[in-house]
Short mmCIF file of all heavy atoms in Angstrom, two decimals:
data_model
loop_
_atom_site.label_atom_id
_atom_site.label_comp_id
_atom_site.label_asym_id
_atom_site.label_seq_id
_atom_site.Cartn_x
_atom_site.Cartn_y
_atom_site.Cartn_z
N CYS A 95 0.82 -1.21 0.00
CA CYS A 95 0.00 0.00 0.00
C CYS A 95 0.86 1.26 0.00
O CYS A 95 0.32 2.37 0.01
CB CYS A 95 -0.92 0.00 1.23
SG CYS A 95 -0.03 0.25 2.79
N LEU A 96 2.18 1.10 -0.04
CA LEU A 96 3.06 2.25 0.10
C LEU A 96 4.22 2.13 -0.88
O LEU A 96 4.77 1.05 -1.07
CB LEU A 96 3.60 2.29 1.54
CG LEU A 96 4.32 3.55 2.00
CD1 LEU A 96 3.36 4.74 2.00
CD2 LEU A 96 4.88 3.33 3.41
N GLU A 97 4.60 3.25 -1.48
CA GLU A 97 5.77 3.27 -2.37
C GLU A 97 6.42 4.65 -2.32
O GLU A 97 5.72 5.67 -2.26
CB GLU A 97 5.38 2.93 -3.80
CG GLU A 97 6.54 2.89 -4.79
CD GLU A 97 7.55 1.80 -4.47
OE1 GLU A 97 8.33 1.97 -3.51
OE2 GLU A 97 7.54 0.76 -5.18
N VAL A 98 7.73 4.69 -2.30
CA VAL A 98 8.50 5.92 -2.40
C VAL A 98 9.67 5.65 -3.34
O VAL A 98 10.32 4.61 -3.24
CB VAL A 98 9.04 6.39 -1.04
CG1 VAL A 98 9.92 7.63 -1.20
CG2 VAL A 98 7.90 6.69 -0.08
N THR A 99 9.91 6.56 -4.26
CA THR A 99 11.05 6.40 -5.17
C THR A 99 12.05 7.53 -4.93
O THR A 99 11.66 8.68 -4.68
CB THR A 99 10.62 6.42 -6.64
OG1 THR A 99 9.99 7.66 -6.92
CG2 THR A 99 9.68 5.27 -6.94
N ALA A 100 13.33 7.19 -4.99
CA ALA A 100 14.41 8.18 -4.90
C ALA A 100 15.18 8.11 -6.21
O ALA A 100 15.75 7.07 -6.55
CB ALA A 100 15.31 7.88 -3.72
N THR A 101 15.18 9.20 -6.96
CA THR A 101 15.91 9.24 -8.23
C THR A 101 17.34 9.69 -7.96
O THR A 101 17.57 10.81 -7.50
CB THR A 101 15.24 10.21 -9.21
OG1 THR A 101 13.89 9.77 -9.44
CG2 THR A 101 15.99 10.25 -10.53
N MET A 102 18.28 8.81 -8.22
CA MET A 102 19.69 9.07 -7.96
C MET A 102 20.36 9.58 -9.23
O MET A 102 20.32 8.90 -10.26
CB MET A 102 20.39 7.80 -7.48
CG MET A 102 19.54 6.88 -6.62
SD MET A 102 19.24 7.53 -4.97
CE MET A 102 20.75 7.02 -4.17
N LEU A 103 20.98 10.74 -9.16
CA LEU A 103 21.65 11.33 -10.31
C LEU A 103 23.16 11.40 -10.05
O LEU A 103 23.59 11.97 -9.04
CB LEU A 103 21.11 12.74 -10.59
CG LEU A 103 19.64 12.84 -11.02
CD1 LEU A 103 19.27 14.31 -11.24
CD2 LEU A 103 19.38 12.03 -12.28
N ASN A 104 23.92 10.83 -10.94
CA ASN A 104 25.38 10.87 -10.86
C ASN A 104 25.85 12.26 -11.28
O ASN A 104 25.69 12.67 -12.43
CB ASN A 104 25.97 9.80 -11.78
CG ASN A 104 27.48 9.72 -11.69
OD1 ASN A 104 28.14 10.54 -11.07
ND2 ASN A 104 28.04 8.70 -12.32
N ILE A 105 26.45 13.01 -10.34
CA ILE A 105 26.91 14.36 -10.67
C ILE A 105 28.44 14.45 -10.62
O ILE A 105 28.99 15.55 -10.42
CB ILE A 105 26.28 15.44 -9.77
CG1 ILE A 105 26.58 15.16 -8.29
CG2 ILE A 105 24.79 15.54 -10.03
CD1 ILE A 105 26.25 16.34 -7.39
N ASN A 106 29.13 13.34 -10.77
CA ASN A 106 30.55 13.44 -10.99
C ASN A 106 30.79 14.19 -12.29
O ASN A 106 29.99 14.10 -13.24
CB ASN A 106 31.18 12.05 -11.06
CG ASN A 106 31.40 11.46 -9.68
OD1 ASN A 106 32.05 12.07 -8.83
ND2 ASN A 106 30.86 10.27 -9.44
N HIS A 107 31.89 14.92 -12.33
CA HIS A 107 32.16 15.75 -13.51
C HIS A 107 32.19 14.88 -14.77
O HIS A 107 32.85 13.84 -14.81
CB HIS A 107 33.50 16.47 -13.35
CG HIS A 107 33.77 17.46 -14.44
ND1 HIS A 107 32.90 18.49 -14.73
CD2 HIS A 107 34.80 17.57 -15.32
CE1 HIS A 107 33.38 19.20 -15.73
NE2 HIS A 107 34.53 18.67 -16.11
N GLY A 108 31.43 15.32 -15.78
CA GLY A 108 31.35 14.56 -17.03
C GLY A 108 30.12 13.70 -17.13
O GLY A 108 29.85 13.11 -18.18
N HIS A 109 29.33 13.59 -16.05
CA HIS A 109 28.10 12.80 -16.06
C HIS A 109 26.88 13.73 -16.01
O HIS A 109 26.95 14.81 -15.45
CB HIS A 109 28.08 11.83 -14.88
CG HIS A 109 29.14 10.78 -14.95
ND1 HIS A 109 28.95 9.58 -15.59
CD2 HIS A 109 30.41 10.77 -14.48
CE1 HIS A 109 30.05 8.86 -15.50
NE2 HIS A 109 30.96 9.55 -14.83
N ASN A 110 25.79 13.26 -16.57
CA ASN A 110 24.56 14.06 -16.66
C ASN A 110 24.88 15.47 -17.14
O ASN A 110 24.41 16.47 -16.58
CB ASN A 110 23.84 14.08 -15.30
CG ASN A 110 23.05 12.81 -15.06
OD1 ASN A 110 22.15 12.46 -15.82
ND2 ASN A 110 23.40 12.10 -14.00
N GLN A 111 25.69 15.53 -18.18
CA GLN A 111 26.21 16.80 -18.66
C GLN A 111 25.11 17.76 -19.12
O GLN A 111 25.25 18.98 -18.99
CB GLN A 111 27.21 16.57 -19.79
CG GLN A 111 28.10 17.76 -20.09
CD GLN A 111 28.93 18.18 -18.88
OE1 GLN A 111 29.56 17.35 -18.23
NE2 GLN A 111 28.91 19.48 -18.57
N GLU A 112 24.01 17.22 -19.61
CA GLU A 112 22.93 18.08 -20.07
C GLU A 112 22.38 18.91 -18.92
O GLU A 112 22.07 20.10 -19.08
CB GLU A 112 21.81 17.23 -20.69
CG GLU A 112 20.68 18.06 -21.28
CD GLU A 112 19.60 17.19 -21.93
OE1 GLU A 112 19.81 15.96 -22.05
OE2 GLU A 112 18.57 17.76 -22.33
N ILE A 113 22.26 18.29 -17.76
CA ILE A 113 21.78 19.01 -16.58
C ILE A 113 22.83 20.02 -16.11
O ILE A 113 22.52 21.17 -15.79
CB ILE A 113 21.44 18.03 -15.44
CG1 ILE A 113 20.26 17.13 -15.85
CG2 ILE A 113 21.12 18.77 -14.15
CD1 ILE A 113 19.96 16.03 -14.87
N LEU A 114 24.10 19.58 -16.08
CA LEU A 114 25.17 20.47 -15.63
C LEU A 114 25.31 21.68 -16.54
O LEU A 114 25.60 22.79 -16.07
CB LEU A 114 26.49 19.71 -15.56
CG LEU A 114 26.54 18.52 -14.58
CD1 LEU A 114 27.93 17.89 -14.58
CD2 LEU A 114 26.16 18.95 -13.17
N ASN A 115 25.09 21.49 -17.82
CA ASN A 115 25.18 22.62 -18.76
C ASN A 115 24.14 23.68 -18.47
O ASN A 115 24.34 24.87 -18.76
CB ASN A 115 25.01 22.13 -20.20
CG ASN A 115 26.21 21.33 -20.69
OD1 ASN A 115 27.30 21.40 -20.11
ND2 ASN A 115 26.01 20.55 -21.74
N LYS A 116 23.01 23.28 -17.90
CA LYS A 116 21.93 24.22 -17.62
C LYS A 116 22.01 24.81 -16.22
O LYS A 116 21.23 25.71 -15.88
CB LYS A 116 20.58 23.52 -17.80
CG LYS A 116 20.31 23.08 -19.23
CD LYS A 116 18.98 22.34 -19.33
CE LYS A 116 18.71 21.88 -20.76
NZ LYS A 116 17.44 21.13 -20.87
N CYS A 117 22.93 24.28 -15.41
CA CYS A 117 23.11 24.81 -14.05
C CYS A 117 24.61 24.94 -13.81
O CYS A 117 25.26 24.00 -13.35
CB CYS A 117 22.46 23.90 -13.02
SG CYS A 117 22.53 24.56 -11.34
N SER A 118 25.14 26.11 -14.11
CA SER A 118 26.59 26.31 -14.10
C SER A 118 27.21 26.11 -12.72
O SER A 118 28.31 25.57 -12.59
CB SER A 118 26.93 27.71 -14.63
OG SER A 118 26.30 28.70 -13.84
N LYS A 119 26.49 26.52 -11.67
CA LYS A 119 27.06 26.39 -10.32
C LYS A 119 27.20 24.93 -9.92
O LYS A 119 28.16 24.56 -9.25
CB LYS A 119 26.17 27.11 -9.31
CG LYS A 119 26.35 28.62 -9.29
CD LYS A 119 27.78 29.02 -8.96
CE LYS A 119 27.92 30.53 -8.94
NZ LYS A 119 29.32 30.95 -8.96
N LEU A 120 26.25 24.10 -10.33
CA LEU A 120 26.36 22.68 -10.01
C LEU A 120 27.55 22.08 -10.75
O LEU A 120 28.30 21.27 -10.19
CB LEU A 120 25.08 21.95 -10.39
CG LEU A 120 25.05 20.45 -10.07
CD1 LEU A 120 25.21 20.22 -8.57
CD2 LEU A 120 23.75 19.82 -10.56
N GLU A 121 27.75 22.48 -11.99
CA GLU A 121 28.91 21.98 -12.73
C GLU A 121 30.22 22.44 -12.09
O GLU A 121 31.18 21.67 -11.96
CB GLU A 121 28.87 22.43 -14.19
CG GLU A 121 30.06 21.90 -14.98
CD GLU A 121 29.95 22.16 -16.46
OE1 GLU A 121 29.31 23.15 -16.83
OE2 GLU A 121 30.53 21.37 -17.24
N GLU A 122 30.26 23.70 -11.65
CA GLU A 122 31.47 24.19 -10.98
C GLU A 122 31.73 23.42 -9.69
O GLU A 122 32.89 23.14 -9.35
CB GLU A 122 31.32 25.69 -10.69
CG GLU A 122 31.33 26.55 -11.94
CD GLU A 122 31.09 28.02 -11.64
OE1 GLU A 122 31.37 28.44 -10.50
OE2 GLU A 122 30.61 28.74 -12.54
N TYR A 123 30.66 23.08 -9.00
CA TYR A 123 30.82 22.27 -7.78
C TYR A 123 31.45 20.92 -8.10
O TYR A 123 32.35 20.45 -7.40
CB TYR A 123 29.46 22.08 -7.11
CG TYR A 123 29.45 21.00 -6.06
CD1 TYR A 123 29.98 21.23 -4.80
CD2 TYR A 123 28.90 19.75 -6.33
CE1 TYR A 123 29.98 20.24 -3.83
CE2 TYR A 123 28.89 18.76 -5.37
CZ TYR A 123 29.44 19.00 -4.12
OH TYR A 123 29.44 18.01 -3.18
N THR A 124 30.99 20.28 -9.18
CA THR A 124 31.55 18.98 -9.54
C THR A 124 33.03 19.10 -9.91
O THR A 124 33.82 18.19 -9.62
CB THR A 124 30.77 18.35 -10.72
OG1 THR A 124 30.98 19.11 -11.90
CG2 THR A 124 29.29 18.26 -10.42
N ILE A 125 33.41 20.20 -10.52
CA ILE A 125 34.82 20.41 -10.86
C ILE A 125 35.64 20.61 -9.60
O ILE A 125 36.75 20.08 -9.46
CB ILE A 125 34.96 21.63 -11.80
CG1 ILE A 125 34.27 21.35 -13.14
CG2 ILE A 125 36.43 21.96 -12.04
CD1 ILE A 125 34.20 22.56 -14.07
N PHE A 126 35.09 21.35 -8.65
CA PHE A 126 35.79 21.57 -7.38
C PHE A 126 36.05 20.24 -6.67
O PHE A 126 37.16 19.98 -6.19
CB PHE A 126 34.97 22.49 -6.48
CG PHE A 126 35.55 22.64 -5.09
CD1 PHE A 126 36.66 23.44 -4.87
CD2 PHE A 126 34.98 21.98 -4.01
CE1 PHE A 126 37.19 23.57 -3.60
CE2 PHE A 126 35.50 22.10 -2.74
CZ PHE A 126 36.62 22.91 -2.53
N VAL A 127 35.03 19.38 -6.63
CA VAL A 127 35.19 18.05 -6.00
C VAL A 127 36.28 17.26 -6.72
O VAL A 127 37.13 16.61 -6.09
CB VAL A 127 33.86 17.28 -6.01
CG1 VAL A 127 34.07 15.83 -5.57
CG2 VAL A 127 32.84 17.96 -5.12
N GLU A 128 36.26 17.32 -8.03
CA GLU A 128 37.26 16.60 -8.81
C GLU A 128 38.66 17.11 -8.52
O GLU A 128 39.62 16.33 -8.40
CB GLU A 128 36.96 16.77 -10.31
CG GLU A 128 37.90 15.99 -11.22
CD GLU A 128 37.57 16.24 -12.69
OE1 GLU A 128 37.50 17.42 -13.08
OE2 GLU A 128 37.39 15.27 -13.43
N ARG A 129 38.83 18.44 -8.33
CA ARG A 129 40.14 19.01 -8.04
C ARG A 129 40.62 18.59 -6.65
O ARG A 129 41.81 18.31 -6.45
CB ARG A 129 40.10 20.54 -8.13
CG ARG A 129 39.72 21.11 -9.48
CD ARG A 129 40.47 20.44 -10.61
NE ARG A 129 41.91 20.70 -10.55
CZ ARG A 129 42.82 20.01 -11.21
NH1 ARG A 129 42.45 18.99 -11.97
NH2 ARG A 129 44.09 20.32 -11.10
N VAL A 130 39.73 18.55 -5.67
CA VAL A 130 40.12 18.10 -4.33
C VAL A 130 40.61 16.66 -4.38
O VAL A 130 41.64 16.31 -3.80
CB VAL A 130 38.96 18.25 -3.34
CG1 VAL A 130 39.35 17.67 -1.97
CG2 VAL A 130 38.57 19.71 -3.18
N ARG A 131 39.88 15.82 -5.09
CA ARG A 131 40.30 14.42 -5.21
C ARG A 131 41.65 14.31 -5.90
O ARG A 131 42.49 13.47 -5.54
CB ARG A 131 39.24 13.63 -6.00
CG ARG A 131 37.97 13.38 -5.22
CD ARG A 131 36.92 12.73 -6.09
NE ARG A 131 35.72 12.40 -5.33
CZ ARG A 131 34.56 12.06 -5.88
NH1 ARG A 131 34.43 12.04 -7.20
NH2 ARG A 131 33.52 11.77 -5.12
N PHE A 132 41.86 15.15 -6.88
CA PHE A 132 43.13 15.13 -7.61
C PHE A 132 44.29 15.40 -6.66
O PHE A 132 45.30 14.69 -6.67
CB PHE A 132 43.10 16.18 -8.73
CG PHE A 132 44.42 16.38 -9.41
CD1 PHE A 132 44.85 15.49 -10.39
CD2 PHE A 132 45.24 17.46 -9.07
CE1 PHE A 132 46.08 15.68 -11.02
CE2 PHE A 132 46.46 17.65 -9.69
CZ PHE A 132 46.88 16.76 -10.67
#
């Protein structure tokens, strides 16, 4: 009688690029994370 869905989006740099292209701050965030890991 119950259902909940969670849509998981991969936002590592280079993934879901169409969304990142439309939200520049989110893309910049993914680049920052990538630089820290580097």
Side-chain angles (χ1 to χ4, degrees):
C95 70
L96 192 64
E97 182 63 285
V98 176
T99 60
T101 300
M102 325 288 277
L103 295 179
N104 183 352
I105 58 167
N106 280 305
H107 187 57
H109 294 272
N110 280 301
Q111 197 59 49
E112 184 178 353
I113 295 173
L114 298 182
N115 289 342
K116 295 178 181 179
C117 185
S118 58
K119 282 300 181 194
L120 182 61
E121 181 172 28
E122 291 176 25
Y123 166 77
T124 68
I125 295 172
F126 173 76
V127 171
E128 184 182 52
R129 300 313 294 164
V130 175
R131 287 174 176 167
F132 172 80

